[in-house]
Amino acid sequence: MASVHESLYFNPMMTNGVVHANVFGIKDWVTPYKIAVLVLLNEMGRTGEGAVSLMERRRLNQLLLPLLQGPDITLSKLYKLIEESCPQLANSVQIRIKLMAEGELKDMEQFFDDLSDSFSGTEPEVHKTSVVGLFLRHMILAYSKLSFSQVFKLYTALQQYFQNGEKKTVEDADMELTNREEGERKMEKEELDVSIREEEVSCSGPLSQKQAEFFLSQQASLLKNDETKALTPASLQKELNNLLKFNPDFAEAHYLSYLNNLRVQDVFSSTHSLLHYFDRLILTGAESKSNGEEGYGRSLRYAALNLAALHCRFGHYQQAELALQEAIRIAQESNDHVCLQHCLSWLYVLGQKRSDSYVLLEHSVKKAVHFGLPYLASLGIQSLVQQRAFAGKTANKLMDALKDSDLLHWKHSLSELIDISIAQKTAIWRLYGRSTMALQQAQMLLSMNSLESVNAGVQQNNTESFAVALCHLAELHAEQGCFAAASEVLKHLKERFPPNSQHAQLWMLCDQKIQFDRAMNDGKYHLADSLVTGITALNSIEGVYRKAIVLQAQNQMSEAHKLLQKLLIHCQKIRNTEMVISVLLSVAELYWRSSSPTIALPVLLQALALSKEYRLQYLASETVLNLAFAQLILGIPEQALSLLHMAIEPILADGAVLDKGRAMFLVAKCQVASAASYDPPKKAEALEAAIENLNEAKNYFAKVDCKEQIRDVVYFQARLYHTLGKTQERNRCAMLFRQLHQELPSHGVPLINHL
């Protein structure tokens, strides 16, 4: 019978030193690496308390759990880990393994016989029910079930394992001697190559069930919380394929493969892995054991629900709706209210562009609270808040609703949703034009995440909410002219979210927009035009809008007008109010740059009505600035100045530096135009005040390196100084204007000529 079991279940991976002992239901087997770990445990038991310090003992205890649960590693890497914790013990382990490998087979037999002594006595070294005790008992039992041929192959594998480890140790020592004088850069590269090779060797054979479960849970946790510390998509897929080669019915491995394929946006492979996961879940009977006869149907309905979510993620809304209908049908047949609640939430996601979608969402929140599903209830509240924000509800009502959802988060310890809530508050404050409040909320989120650590030293700061907060921070700093700080934030984002990670598109778009704004400020329109392609690939609406801005700056008015009109119709159709207002402002600017300010007035009034209706304070202030400029061109500077006094406070408090400069420049123009009819003493006083405002505007423009606006300011200052008879100041401004005018092309922007 032994030979029959051997032929059926024994997979002789002897080249990698793996002896499979799953013949009698043991879910573990003996490998040369595990023999080395057993030697470490034995030496720890034999070493007295005085020989090892308390700190070394503590470091060894912390090292044991990953050694017991993790995959096999090479002997040289194991020596290095032990040496970092306790150099004395590392030497003892190395000598013990050397004696066993260079001795005879009976030495290994004697070693396993002596392991049982660890449990004997009134005060045993190891308790049978402890983690170490269970590991020892599993290894002793697995070794005792091996046949003689398997024991001999195991000993041969141990000798090969030892020889490879010794060879690696010698190579590392030689490398250290020869390369010590060549610097550290080459050494780091070699160490990186060695670690990669070791990782490939360590996982080349089959893992035990415990090792596989630990590996899968660890990688899944890293993918959720800190993707940069997980294996790369290619490496992880290689390990998963290796796992599935030895156990094709391992359902959890298929699910991790599904998550891994989502990282690289591979729709075919992710769908394939997801379907395989639920197929294996049904075949293995795991669901049926825990849920009785309902297990089969439960797997089917949640398979359809997950498939709907997958299609929705990739934008396949028709396929998602079909899969969702299937999930609803099966859930209704089984009377599964929890599954139906999830389906209801996804129905809102698929139909959120409809005008009556808020009714569906409110119903979903009520049902989730009724069935005791705080996670779904909170997500529903936050979706409702987001929808109401776009609908123009007041900020105090939205914050009250978010406060109610925060109570749910703290009550049920939903830390992930706390992060999402704070990130949403940041976005809402920016939408309403309150940059100071947005900055405060973003910094609060970053402070909270830096304190909340997860197992294995993972920080929960690689989630989407963290990326959103950092992108807001980068944009806010760039708006204030702090480009060095913004680039530092973006550098941190690139480290935390590499280009192949799932949230990398957030910082990519943010980076492209900041570069575009800097290029436009600097008058480098050809560079800005080259950035439009990258922005369009990440956000088509934003890309078309920026393309129109570049065309307008290059005086291609007809092309810009056509593009803006198409974009306006599209944004009105999808109800993107914020972009509609921005497009209307650009259209109005195009009209007054084409010397048609009267046509621009109705467009600006339409933009002002929309911004007031949806409570977009900052866009409303920007619209008022444009209205004031149109009135100035029409020759009514007094009304323009009164309008400016209404709008300038929000801009100076929360506006971007560029908008602050434009506002102060416009104030100075209105002051000069209004002073045309004043008495000479009063006129001189008004011109002095205008010069002070121009100095302030120039400082704002200098912060964002906006040379074109600085050129206009110094030209205007030179005219004012000439009127006041200040020759020296006039000549200084004229010289600055000449330098800038030679650097930059002239675009015919109308300046105020009557003083």
Side-chain angles (χ1 to χ4, degrees):
M1 287 296 292
S3 60
V4 174
H5 282 293
E6 205 169 303
S7 62
L8 286 174
Y9 298 100
F10 177 61
N11 188 3
M13 296 288 294
M14 287 304 107
T15 55
N16 295 313
V18 177
V19 180
H20 199 301
N22 200 22
V23 181
F24 300 97
I26 303 169
K27 297 180 180 180
D28 214 338
W29 51 81
V30 187
T31 64
Y33 161 74
K34 290 177 182 174
I35 294 176
V37 175
L38 289 172
V39 171
L40 170 63
L41 293 172
N42 192 255
E43 287 295 322
M44 286 178 65
R46 292 172 58 181
T47 306
E49 294 185 3
V52 179
S53 66
L54 183 62
M55 287 302 298
E56 288 177 336
R57 177 75 64 177
R58 185 175 296 172
R59 286 196 295 266
L60 284 169
N61 290 337
Q62 291 176 343
L63 176 65
L64 277 181
L65 195 59
L67 289 181
L68 297 179
Q69 292 181 329
D72 293 5
I73 59 177
T74 58
L75 192 58
S76 60
K77 193 170 183 179
L78 180 63
Y79 285 156
K80 186 182 292 185
L81 291 172
I82 301 171
E83 191 173 2
E84 289 172 359
S85 302
C86 181
Q88 178 187 350
L89 197 62
N91 189 40
S92 302
V93 171
Q94 189 171 5
I95 294 172
R96 189 83 178 275
I97 295 175
K98 182 177 181 181
L99 291 173
M100 191 186 304
E102 293 181 349
E104 299 178 357
L105 180 59
K106 64 179 182 180
D107 296 327
M108 188 177 73
E109 290 275 359
Q110 186 62 41
F111 171 72
F112 275 95
D113 291 339
D114 295 340
L115 281 179
S116 302
D117 297 339
S118 303
F119 304 109
S120 61
T122 55
E123 292 185 3
E125 298 172 359
V126 180
H127 292 283
K128 290 185 177 182
T129 56
S130 66
V131 176
V132 174
L134 289 172
F135 176 74
L136 288 174
R137 290 163 62 192
H138 284 166
M139 290 297 102
I140 293 170
L141 185 59
Y143 182 79
S144 65
K145 298 298 182 182
L146 297 177
S147 64
F148 178 76
S149 61
Q150 292 173 338
V151 171
F152 179 75
K153 289 176 181 178
L154 175 62
Y155 184 69
T156 306
L158 177 64
Q159 290 177 322
Q160 187 65 39
Y161 183 70
F162 170 74
Q163 290 170 7
N164 292 339
E166 287 293 306
K167 190 184 300 181
K168 185 67 67 178
T169 305
V170 171
E171 287 177 2
D172 291 344
D174 292 341
M175 189 186 301
E176 185 178 355
L177 289 172
T178 54
N179 296 342
R180 184 174 296 172
E181 297 178 357
E182 295 181 8
E184 296 180 357
R185 185 178 300 175
K186 189 175 179 181
M187 276 294 295
E188 289 176 358
K189 183 179 182 299
E190 294 292 338
E191 286 171 4
L192 181 64
D193 294 339
V194 168
S195 65
I196 293 171
R197 289 196 299 269
E198 286 178 352
E199 185 176 324
E200 290 175 352
V201 169
S202 65
C203 295
S204 57
L207 300 176
S208 67
Q209 182 174 343
K210 286 187 177 181
Q211 286 178 325
E213 288 173 354
F214 175 74
F215 172 75
L216 294 177
S217 63
Q218 185 186 51
Q219 292 298 316
S221 177
L222 289 171
L223 287 181
K224 179 184 177 184
N225 298 313
D226 200 350
E227 192 176 336
T228 55
K229 292 185 179 178
L231 293 177
T232 61
S235 301
L236 181 55
Q237 196 59 46
K238 182 179 178 182
E239 299 299 335
L240 291 172
N241 291 339
N242 190 44
L243 272 176
L244 293 170
K245 181 171 68 174
F246 295 103
N247 188 359
D249 295 331
F250 200 176
E252 288 77 6
H254 285 289
Y255 192 78
L256 187 60
S257 176
Y258 155 69
L259 295 177
N260 189 44
N261 287 312
L262 279 182
R263 296 165 70 189
V264 293
Q265 306 294 313
D266 187 348
V267 60
F268 175 78
S269 299
S270 54
T271 307
H272 181 78
S273 297
L274 182 66
L275 294 176
H276 269 289
Y277 165 70
F278 282 102
D279 288 344
R280 297 311 189 274
L281 207 63
I282 295 169
L283 289 173
T284 54
E287 285 290 311
S288 299
K289 291 175 184 176
S290 58
N291 297 282
E293 295 179 357
E294 279 295 311
Y296 181 79
R298 186 175 187 274
S299 294
L300 288 178
R301 54 183 176 267
Y302 278 102
L305 180 61
N306 277 272
L307 192 61
L310 176 66
H311 283 305
C312 187
R313 176 172 181 147
F314 286 106
H316 307 154
Y317 298 114
Q318 188 174 0
Q319 292 94 323
E321 194 168 349
L322 291 172
L324 197 58
Q325 289 174 1
E326 180 69 13
I328 292 171
R329 183 185 63 79
I330 303 173
Q332 285 176 337
E333 290 176 358
S334 306
N335 202 24
D336 188 347
H337 295 289
V338 176
C339 184
L340 285 171
Q341 276 309 113
H342 284 279
C343 294
L344 190 58
S345 300
W346 279 105
L347 269 179
Y348 162 72
V349 173
L350 290 174
Q352 59 184 332
K353 298 299 181 184
R354 296 201 302 261
S355 58
D356 60 341
S357 60
Y358 72 94
V359 178
L360 194 67
L361 189 56
E362 288 177 349
H363 182 64
S364 172
V365 172
K366 290 176 184 177
K367 284 288 186 181
V369 172
H370 175 71
F371 290 112
L373 301 170
Y375 193 92
L376 275 181
S378 175
L379 281 179
I381 292 172
Q382 296 196 48
S383 298
L384 200 57
V385 166
Q386 188 182 70
Q387 191 184 59
R388 296 289 169 84
F390 289 134
K393 300 298 179 184
T394 55
N396 60 334
K397 292 182 179 179
L398 299 181
M399 294 303 158
D400 285 342
L402 286 175
K403 183 185 70 176
D404 295 337
S405 69
D406 287 341
L407 291 175
L408 277 175
H409 304 156
W410 292 109
K411 182 179 178 181
H412 298 280
S413 299
L414 301 172
S415 58
E416 183 183 353
L417 292 183
I418 295 171
D419 300 344
I420 294 173
S421 176
I422 298 175
Q424 180 136 285
K425 289 176 187 175
T426 306
I428 289 172
W429 284 123
R430 280 207 73 195
L431 178 68
Y432 286 158
R434 300 297 181 89
S435 59
T436 308
M437 292 300 298
L439 190 65
Q440 182 192 36
Q441 292 294 327
Q443 290 175 341
M444 184 189 299
L445 175 58
L446 303 186
S447 302
M448 288 181 63
N449 273 290
S450 63
L451 297 174
E452 186 173 349
S453 61
V454 196
N455 295 331
V458 178
Q459 298 288 327
Q460 279 190 336
N461 54 7
N462 282 35
T463 55
E464 184 181 12
S465 54
F466 187 85
V468 168
L470 278 176
C471 287
H472 280 305
L473 270 182
E475 290 180 353
L476 288 168
H477 281 92
E479 286 176 0
Q480 299 306 316
C482 305
F483 294 113
S487 63
E488 285 295 321
V489 175
L490 285 169
K491 181 182 176 183
H492 182 71
L493 270 165
K494 292 172 185 177
E495 292 173 357
R496 288 290 181 187
F497 302 92
N500 62 352
S501 61
Q502 55 183 334
H503 304 310
Q505 290 186 359
L506 294 171
W507 65 257
M508 287 179 180
L509 179 60
C510 176
D511 188 20
Q512 295 280 319
K513 285 162 68 176
I514 291 174
Q515 288 184 45
F516 178 88
D517 291 337
R518 293 193 69 178
M520 291 295 295
N521 293 343
D522 205 17
K524 298 177 180 177
Y525 303 132
H526 62 286
L527 179 59
D529 195 20
S530 66
L531 292 167
V532 168
T533 307
I535 296 174
T536 308
L538 297 166
N539 187 328
S540 58
I541 293 176
E542 192 74 32
V544 173
Y545 175 65
R546 304 262 171 169
K547 179 65 176 178
I549 290 176
V550 173
L551 290 173
Q552 186 175 325
Q554 293 173 338
N555 282 334
Q556 300 180 34
M557 299 302 178
S558 57
E559 292 86 350
H561 186 263
K562 290 176 184 177
L563 210 57
L564 287 170
Q565 288 298 327
K566 289 179 181 178
L567 183 60
L568 181 63
I569 294 169
H570 177 69
C571 291
Q572 287 172 339
K573 184 178 179 181
I574 64 173
R575 298 179 183 177
N576 189 345
T577 309
E578 190 178 7
M579 184 56 74
V580 166
I581 297 170
S582 299
V583 171
L584 288 173
L585 292 178
S586 296
V587 170
E589 184 181 352
L590 189 147
Y591 285 145
W592 61 251
R593 286 186 65 169
S594 303
S595 302
S596 304
T598 51
I599 306 176
L601 282 174
V603 178
L604 290 172
L605 290 173
Q606 184 185 354
L608 183 62
L610 280 173
S611 55
K612 292 284 186 182
E613 180 185 352
Y614 288 92
R615 291 180 172 81
L616 304 176
Q617 176 186 318
Y618 188 71
L619 285 174
S621 302
E622 199 173 339
T623 307
V624 172
L625 283 183
N626 281 272
L627 275 171
F629 188 75
Q631 289 180 335
L632 178 64
I633 296 175
L634 290 171
I636 41 178
E638 293 82 6
Q639 292 189 19
L641 201 57
S642 64
L643 267 179
L644 278 174
H645 288 309
M646 292 168 50
I648 202 167
E649 184 180 346
I651 288 177
L652 293 179
D654 295 300
V657 168
L658 186 61
D659 291 332
K660 291 177 184 178
R662 285 171 176 165
M664 297 309 298
F665 192 16
L666 186 55
V667 168
K669 286 181 178 180
C670 292
Q671 287 175 331
V672 172
S674 301
S677 58
Y678 291 172
D679 297 332
K682 192 176 179 182
K683 180 178 180 180
E685 186 180 345
L687 295 184
E688 290 285 354
I691 288 173
E692 290 181 8
N693 288 329
L694 286 172
N695 283 327
E696 190 175 350
K698 185 167 66 174
N699 292 333
Y700 285 134
F701 291 139
K703 284 185 178 179
V704 290
D705 197 24
C706 191
K707 294 179 181 178
E708 186 176 340
Q709 295 283 1
I710 295 174
R711 179 188 64 181
D712 295 342
V713 169
V714 294
Y715 166 78
F716 205 55
Q717 279 184 318
R719 294 287 301 273
L720 294 180
Y721 281 129
H722 179 74
T723 304
L724 293 171
K726 297 183 178 181
T727 309
Q728 188 176 358
E729 289 84 353
R730 180 203 65 187
N731 292 340
R732 178 172 52 83
C733 291
M735 184 185 67
L736 286 173
F737 170 76
R738 182 180 179 183
Q739 290 175 353
L740 291 169
H741 192 64
Q742 287 174 347
E743 291 180 19
L744 300 169
S746 178
H747 296 289
V749 180
L751 297 170
I752 304 303
N753 293 316
H754 54 282
L755 299 177

